[in-house]
């Protein structure tokens, strides 16, 4: 009985240690998610400024400026933002499932170590992969590396149309998958301001538009990466909350069993003491 009680006590200690780890992981994920959420407004404002600048630059060009014609034999490129680390539930799987219909005939660029592992397990051929940023300060560098890889494939004629898929945390609706077109840029979507006075520029209109387009793509990649970063940590928070609930339920069961075993042990000792006292009294008589 004592050995079984010792086993239960050891299990309780181990589960409490696991509870401390889960609590710490939840706290770290919550802090990262909050940090990412606080910076999203700034990135969205930056994207809006670039968009309005493109609209102003379009006013310097003829009205028939359209998107570039995609290369006829080029594949579609898909940029998938998946999880960098585990303990985030089916975060990567949901992104891959959302792109399932296009995976076979597309060139896949994947961000996230855990996502790349899941993709390989599914037999998906990856043209390019990179670790996801583990803090918000690393997101601009990640967007730069991704943009460089993207333009390399475009310059080589491997891809002409590119979509990005990323997770986004929506208040009251959980995590959803968004899909946006990155290339080619459809300049018809940008509002041309009605200002009569043209902005002051130091570049030729066509060159100015090209540079703003590059900046717009970079802004789109930064925004997608930040949304994915925040959503991954939100998913990890939810996974750790579920794990904490299961751990607490397990501790309740183990604590009840511990009390039962202790009571049985005390009862056994009392019976042994009473039996010994009766035997001693009988011997004296």
């Amino acid at each position: 009985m004592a050995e079984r009680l010792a086993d239960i006590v050891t299990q309780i200690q181990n589960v409490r240690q696991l509870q401390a780890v889960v609590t710490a992981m939840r706290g770290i994920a919550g802090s990262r998610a909050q940090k990412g959420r606080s910076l999203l407004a700034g990135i969205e404002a930056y994207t809006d400024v670039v968009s309005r600048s493109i609209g102003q630059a379009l006013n310097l060009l003829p009205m028939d400026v359209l998107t570039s014609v995609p290369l006829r034999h080029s594949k579609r490129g898909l940029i998938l933002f998946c999880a960098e680390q585990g303990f985030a539930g089916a975060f990567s799987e949901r992104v891959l499932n959302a792109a399932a219909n296009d995976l076979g005939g597309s060139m896949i660029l994947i961000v996230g170590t855990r996502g790349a592992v899941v993709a390989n397990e599914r037999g998906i051929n990856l043209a390019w992969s990179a670790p996801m940023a583990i803090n918000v300060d690393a997101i601009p560098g990640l967007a730069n590396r991704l943009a460089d890889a993207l333009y390399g494939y475009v310059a080589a004629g491997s891809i002409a149309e590119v979509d990005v898929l990323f997770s986004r945390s929506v208040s009251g609706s959980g995590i959803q998958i968004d899909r946006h077109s990155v290339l080619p840029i459809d300049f018809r979507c940008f509002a041309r301001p009605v200002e009569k006075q043209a902005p002051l520029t130091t570049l030729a209109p066509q060159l100015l538009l090209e540079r703003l387009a590059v900046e717009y793509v970079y802004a789109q990649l930064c925004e997608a990466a930040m949304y994915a970063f925040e959503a991954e940590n939100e998913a990890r928070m939810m996974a750790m909350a579920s794990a904490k609930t299961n751990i607490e339920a397990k501790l309740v069961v183990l604590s009840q069993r511990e009390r039962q075993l202790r009571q049985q042990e005390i009862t056994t000792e009392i019976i042994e003491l009473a039996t010994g006292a009766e035997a001693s009294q009988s011997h004296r008589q």
Side-chain angles (χ1 to χ4, degrees):
M1 186 67 67
E3 183 179 358
R4 290 185 61 190
L5 177 59
D7 290 341
I8 293 295
V9 170
T10 300
Q11 288 184 49
I12 291 175
Q13 291 174 346
N14 292 338
V15 172
R16 283 177 176 164
Q17 289 176 356
L18 179 60
Q19 184 181 39
V21 172
V22 167
T23 301
M25 291 179 64
R26 185 184 181 189
I28 293 171
S31 176
R32 290 176 175 175
Q34 183 178 9
K35 182 68 173 179
R37 199 178 305 115
S38 67
L39 296 177
L40 275 170
I43 294 179
E44 290 172 348
Y46 164 64
T47 304
D48 184 61
V49 168
V50 176
S51 298
R52 286 189 283 111
S53 298
I54 290 176
Q56 291 177 325
L58 287 171
N59 269 346
L60 304 176
L61 293 165
M63 293 293 294
D64 58 350
V65 174
L66 301 175
T67 58
S68 301
V69 178
L71 299 179
R72 184 172 298 175
H73 300 294
S74 295
K75 285 186 175 183
R76 175 182 295 276
L78 288 179
I79 302 173
L80 309 179
F81 282 91
C82 297
E84 173 60 21
Q85 301 169 338
F87 303 105
F91 186 86
S92 298
E93 287 80 355
R94 285 196 293 266
V95 177
L96 293 172
N97 291 341
N101 293 335
D102 298 320
L103 291 176
S106 302
M107 181 172 286
I108 309 301
L109 291 77
I110 199 164
V111 179
T113 302
R114 178 59 187 166
V117 171
V118 175
N120 287 327
E121 290 174 350
R122 293 189 177 192
I124 300 171
N125 294 322
L126 304 180
W128 182 90
S129 64
M132 178 59 180
I134 59 174
N135 58 69
V136 294
D137 295 332
I139 285 181
L142 170 64
N144 272 322
R145 293 194 302 275
L146 181 54
D148 289 342
L150 183 62
Y151 291 134
Y153 288 119
V154 172
S158 302
I159 54 178
E161 298 181 6
V162 181
D163 288 353
V164 58
L165 281 83
F166 59 93
S167 298
R168 180 176 180 177
S169 179
V170 180
S171 179
S173 301
I175 295 175
Q176 66 181 29
I177 307 299
D178 280 5
R179 179 169 181 165
H180 294 166
S181 175
V182 175
L183 290 174
I185 299 176
D186 187 356
F187 293 111
R188 294 170 299 183
C189 297
F190 296 90
R192 297 183 182 227
V194 294
E195 302 169 356
K196 294 182 179 179
Q197 185 176 359
L200 296 176
T201 62
T202 58
L203 297 174
Q206 187 64 42
L207 179 58
L208 175 62
L209 185 60
E210 290 175 1
R211 293 190 178 180
L212 285 173
V214 171
E215 198 71 15
Y216 179 74
V217 171
Y218 172 74
Q220 291 286 297
L221 295 177
C222 277
E223 187 173 329
M226 188 64 78
Y227 271 119
F229 175 84
E230 191 258 347
E232 178 183 347
N233 283 285
E234 284 283 353
R236 187 164 293 111
M237 280 181 60
M238 290 187 286
M240 292 302 99
S242 178
K244 186 173 182 292
T245 300
N246 292 334
I247 288 172
E248 289 173 348
K250 181 68 173 177
L251 280 174
V252 169
V253 174
L254 289 174
S255 296
Q256 290 175 346
R257 184 57 179 160
E258 180 192 22
R259 287 193 294 270
Q260 290 174 356
L261 291 176
R262 287 191 184 280
Q263 186 61 48
Q264 290 176 12
E265 189 177 71
I266 292 171
T267 301
T268 300
E269 290 177 354
I270 291 174
I271 292 174
E272 290 176 350
L273 288 173
T275 302
E278 289 178 359
S280 177
Q281 186 176 3
S282 299
H283 180 71
R284 289 176 184 176
Q285 292 176 354

